[in-house]
């Protein structure tokens, strides 16, 4: 199980062949303090609806990005060797000219059975059952269609890590 400290640090690996999409991830996972009014609203919402979360500091993301599946596998392997595995790996399904995200996810899963793997694609040509078969277990596998809200995905990543 991956652990986190006082100010939760969530290690995320993102692989996508589109520079614009990588920029969107960068912005979504940026460690920027919200404005004071937004911070106050978030604190009030947490206090009213989820008191446990109200006492927690927002997580900090450590994001590594790359353009190809082979690069993602190499980064995951290095992180494992250093004893600092990623909490979440986000993979685009199509990343020409290299291997696709599903194959990269399958190989990363063999390196780290505990990592949460998120597939993101503008195409739904691979059914969820096939993804679950190739990259088990289903409890650590997620799928999002493009276009998507990158900010919402960042929140979902926090939930994935905290749930496991």
């Amino acid at each position: 199980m991956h652990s986190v400290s006082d100010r939760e640090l969530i290690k995320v690996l993102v692989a996508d062949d589109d520079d614009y999409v990588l920029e969107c991830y960068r912005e979504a996972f940026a460690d920027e303090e919200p404005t004071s009014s937004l911070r106050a609203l978030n604190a009030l919402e947490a206090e009213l609806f989820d008191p446990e979360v109200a006492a927690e500091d927002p997580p900090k993301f450590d994001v590594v990005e790359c353009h190809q599946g082979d690069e993602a596998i190499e980064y995951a392997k290095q992180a494992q060797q250093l004893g600092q595995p990623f909490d979440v790996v986000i993979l685009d399904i199509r990343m020409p000219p290299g291997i696709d995200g599903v194959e990269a996810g399958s190989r990363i899963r063999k390196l780290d059975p505990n990592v949460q793997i998120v597939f993101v694609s503008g195409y739904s040509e691979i059914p969820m059952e096939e993804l679950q078969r190739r990259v088990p277990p289903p409890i650590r596998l997620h799928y999002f269609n493009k276009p998507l809200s990158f900010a919402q995905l960042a929140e979902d990543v926090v939930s994935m890590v905290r749930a496991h």
Side-chain angles (χ1 to χ4, degrees):
M1 171 91 58
H2 303 266
S3 63
V4 287
S5 62
D6 300 57
R7 174 130 189 239
E8 191 173 18
L9 178 66
I10 299 175
K11 292 185 51 121
V12 179
L13 173 61
V14 178
D16 197 296
D17 61 325
D18 186 324
D19 285 325
Y20 175 74
V21 172
L22 289 175
E23 178 61 31
C24 292
Y25 282 117
R26 245 179 261 126
E27 289 177 19
F29 292 112
D31 187 33
E32 295 175 3
E33 286 295 315
T35 63
S36 59
S37 59
L38 181 56
R39 190 171 35 246
L41 284 173
N42 288 341
L44 178 61
E45 178 185 25
E47 187 176 319
L48 291 172
F49 299 107
D50 197 349
E52 279 185 29
V53 174
E56 297 176 9
D57 284 330
K60 179 176 171 63
F61 295 100
D62 178 11
V63 179
V64 174
E65 59 186 58
C66 59
H67 290 92
Q68 294 291 304
D70 286 329
E71 290 176 286
I73 296 164
E74 193 54 41
Y75 279 122
K77 188 182 298 182
Q78 290 171 8
Q80 278 293 106
Q81 290 170 346
L82 293 172
Q84 301 171 341
F86 289 99
D87 296 297
V88 178
V89 175
I90 302 172
L91 300 164
D92 186 11
I93 288 184
R94 289 187 177 183
M95 294 182 281
I99 64 170
D100 69 10
V102 181
E103 180 60 27
S106 176
R107 293 184 195 178
I108 290 169
R109 172 67 75 223
K110 289 175 183 155
L111 295 169
D112 184 354
N114 295 313
V115 69
Q116 297 286 331
I117 295 182
V118 177
F119 290 113
V120 177
S121 183
Y123 310 95
S124 58
E125 74 279 357
I126 301 176
M128 189 61 171
E129 296 78 26
E130 176 71 7
L131 294 176
Q132 291 172 344
R133 184 187 67 72
R134 290 181 60 191
V135 191
I139 191 123
R140 290 192 182 92
L141 185 67
H142 312 273
Y143 184 89
F144 293 88
N145 283 310
K146 291 179 186 174
L148 71 145
S149 163
F150 290 93
Q152 180 63 52
L153 178 60
E155 288 180 27
D156 291 342
V157 163
V158 173
S159 297
M160 288 172 205
V161 172
R162 289 181 176 166
H164 299 306

